[in-house]
Amino acid sequence: MTSFILLAALLVIVVVAILLPPLLRQPGPSAAGDRREANLAIFRDQLGELERERHDGSLTEDDFAQARQELQRRLLDEVQAPPGLPAGAPAGRKTALALLLVIPLAAAAGYALLGNRQALDPLQRQARITPQQIEEMVDGLVEKLRRNPDDRQGWVMLARSYKVLERYPQAAEAYARAGAVVDQDPALLADYAEVLSRATDGGLQGKPTELIERALKIDPDEPQALLLAGAAATDRQQFAAAADYWARLLAQLEPGSEEAVALEAAVSKAREIAARTAGGKPLEQPASSASVAGAVSGEVTLSGRVAEHASPNDVLFVFARAEEGPRMPLAATRARVGGLPLRFRFDDSMALAGGRKISDFKTISIEARIAKAGQAQTSSGDLYGTLTGVKPGSQNLRLLIDQVQP
């Protein structure tokens, strides 16, 4: 018993030591992956506790099944949830001091009411959430929907779960079963359009375009719908329309962010092509790649060492940056991993509005990044490769993506 008390006191001290510093100083933004891992750990603990209570006889099989189903639903929500924003301003010193007193008291009272000494048994095994278990949870949701096919929210959850598992045909079918829930939600309509496109050949014409247009009628500023509308317009060679869609999305992004910079480059390029088309000029100039000042070109490939961490639909960004000075890209392009190996070309005509040109620098760097979160901002798990010391005018560069962002 004495050993337990000492151990509990030590754990309380550790918790206080972890919680107080962020409250007493301004914290930096936490990684979305850390939050998700913490939530998954909580789910594992809760699942393990349920299994122990069932084993001890304090939970009936029906109560255990109901509680486990609720945990599964919450886990599916966590798996598909987008990365959250950093926490706001830290609590003041008064809050920190209050927690210093409340945490030990709450821990003691909580254990007195709910504690289970069997939890200290080293033979107790911690439940682990495996991919097979996630598949089982999805299968359980499918079975539930078979019994209750009118559960529209359930079909939406199933569609999102299938999308996370990259089972796009099933995701599209589930969205189709959701009916009015999807028809009235512009974000769901846009998501439906995306999975429907991925379920076929990646094109956005036909039904995906109809869904996008319906989403924009409900909310003309829906971000995903604007992004897809611009992509669909480029497929139809309607570059002026694509630029207008993306410009509306650009206004919603944080100025100066890498995502905004990449989108601004796309807007500029679409407007340039639209202007050349309107003037009767060909879309592709026959001049050599070195005829435009500052032109650099080459090919991006993916190393087999990290290829298993990428999927064909992952977003790929390629940036040209100054090696010294601001990190804002001098030029940028966007593609999909399925398009690798990818030929790229940057020149002064692709300079962002109001920005510096490639020819203004003696050397530049070229970076290719596979964004696992689908955004230009760097995040943990991204795959990337970089060429440094590139001189303007360099041709036939070879850029290998062979590193993983910690």
Side-chain angles (χ1 to χ4, degrees):
M1 184 64 178
T2 301
S3 299
F4 169 75
I5 293 175
L6 292 176
L7 178 61
L10 179 61
L11 291 176
V12 170
I13 291 173
V14 171
V15 171
V16 171
I18 292 173
L19 291 180
L20 288 187
L23 294 172
L24 296 174
R25 59 179 170 81
Q26 178 70 39
S30 60
D34 292 339
R35 179 180 65 82
R36 181 166 297 184
E37 287 298 324
N39 286 340
L40 289 176
I42 292 173
F43 287 131
R44 289 195 294 267
D45 290 342
Q46 292 175 334
L47 183 57
E49 184 64 22
L50 287 174
E51 292 176 345
R52 287 192 293 272
E53 290 181 3
R54 181 183 62 172
H55 181 269
D56 294 340
S58 58
L59 269 182
T60 65
E61 285 295 330
D62 289 342
D63 290 340
F64 172 81
Q66 182 177 357
R68 184 174 183 271
Q69 187 178 57
E70 178 60 24
L71 278 181
Q72 291 173 347
R73 181 182 289 268
R74 289 167 54 196
L75 176 59
L76 287 174
D77 285 340
E78 176 58 27
V79 167
Q80 59 198 287
L85 295 176
R93 292 181 177 272
K94 290 183 179 180
T95 302
L97 294 175
L99 287 178
L100 184 62
L101 296 175
V102 169
I103 289 176
L105 294 175
Y111 184 79
L113 293 174
L114 306 173
N116 180 6
R117 295 187 186 183
Q118 292 182 354
L120 297 175
D121 185 355
L123 297 179
Q124 294 286 344
R125 296 181 302 173
Q126 182 185 28
R128 298 182 181 276
I129 303 300
T130 65
Q132 291 76 15
Q133 287 176 304
I134 294 177
E135 290 281 0
E136 290 176 1
M137 294 174 189
V138 173
D139 291 342
L141 183 56
V142 170
E143 183 61 31
K144 179 182 177 181
L145 289 171
R146 285 175 181 167
R147 296 193 301 267
N148 183 18
D150 295 330
D151 183 359
R152 305 302 183 188
Q153 291 294 343
W155 286 111
V156 170
M157 178 180 293
L158 181 62
R160 288 174 167 172
S161 302
Y162 278 143
K163 182 182 177 183
V164 170
L165 296 173
E166 298 185 357
R167 294 164 61 176
Y168 300 115
Q170 294 94 325
E173 182 180 354
Y175 267 133
R177 298 288 299 273
V181 174
V182 173
D183 293 338
Q184 299 170 4
D185 189 319
L188 292 179
L189 284 168
D191 203 51
Y192 183 12
E194 181 183 355
V195 299
L196 192 61
S197 171
R198 294 189 179 190
T200 53
D201 59 355
L204 288 166
Q205 305 310 310
K207 181 65 177 292
T209 294
E210 294 177 9
L211 295 171
I212 294 166
E213 291 175 349
R214 284 161 56 186
L216 291 175
K217 285 182 180 179
I218 299 173
D219 181 2
D221 295 321
E222 207 293 313
Q224 187 179 6
L226 288 173
L227 182 64
L228 295 174
T234 60
D235 290 345
R236 299 190 299 269
Q237 303 291 305
Q238 297 174 349
F239 297 101
D244 289 341
Y245 285 126
W246 288 339
R248 286 158 56 185
L249 175 58
L250 182 61
Q252 303 178 42
L253 302 181
E254 179 183 355
S257 66
E258 290 193 5
E259 185 177 14
V261 169
L263 188 59
E264 186 175 1
V267 171
S268 298
K269 190 66 176 177
R271 286 175 175 166
E272 176 189 345
I273 295 175
R276 281 190 286 166
T277 304
K281 298 180 180 179
L283 297 183
E284 298 294 335
Q285 299 295 334
S288 67
S289 60
S291 64
V292 179
V296 294
S297 67
E299 185 177 71
V300 179
T301 57
L302 179 62
S303 169
R305 186 169 60 86
V306 299
E308 63 181 9
H309 300 295
S311 64
N313 288 309
D314 284 343
V315 177
L316 168 67
F317 293 97
V318 185
F319 302 100
R321 305 179 190 271
E323 293 196 306
E324 298 181 359
R327 289 282 296 165
M328 179 176 292
L330 303 172
T333 188
R334 181 179 185 273
R336 294 279 180 180
V337 170
L340 289 173
L342 175 72
R343 293 291 304 177
F344 69 88
R345 181 179 181 278
F346 298 130
D347 58 54
D348 283 357
S349 69
M350 301 173 67
L352 304 181
R356 302 286 297 276
K357 298 179 179 179
I358 293 176
S359 60
D360 291 339
F361 300 90
K362 293 182 178 180
T363 60
I364 62 173
S365 66
I366 308 293
E367 177 184 343
R369 178 172 295 274
I370 297 175
K372 302 302 290 183
Q375 300 179 349
Q377 293 94 332
T378 300
S379 62
S380 178
D382 286 356
L383 311 178
Y384 69 97
T386 305
L387 287 177
T388 59
V390 176
K391 295 182 179 180
S394 299
Q395 306 297 312
N396 299 318
L397 299 169
R398 292 290 180 267
L399 176 52
L400 180 65
I401 301 176
D402 59 354
Q403 300 181 66
V404 180
Q405 186 72 36

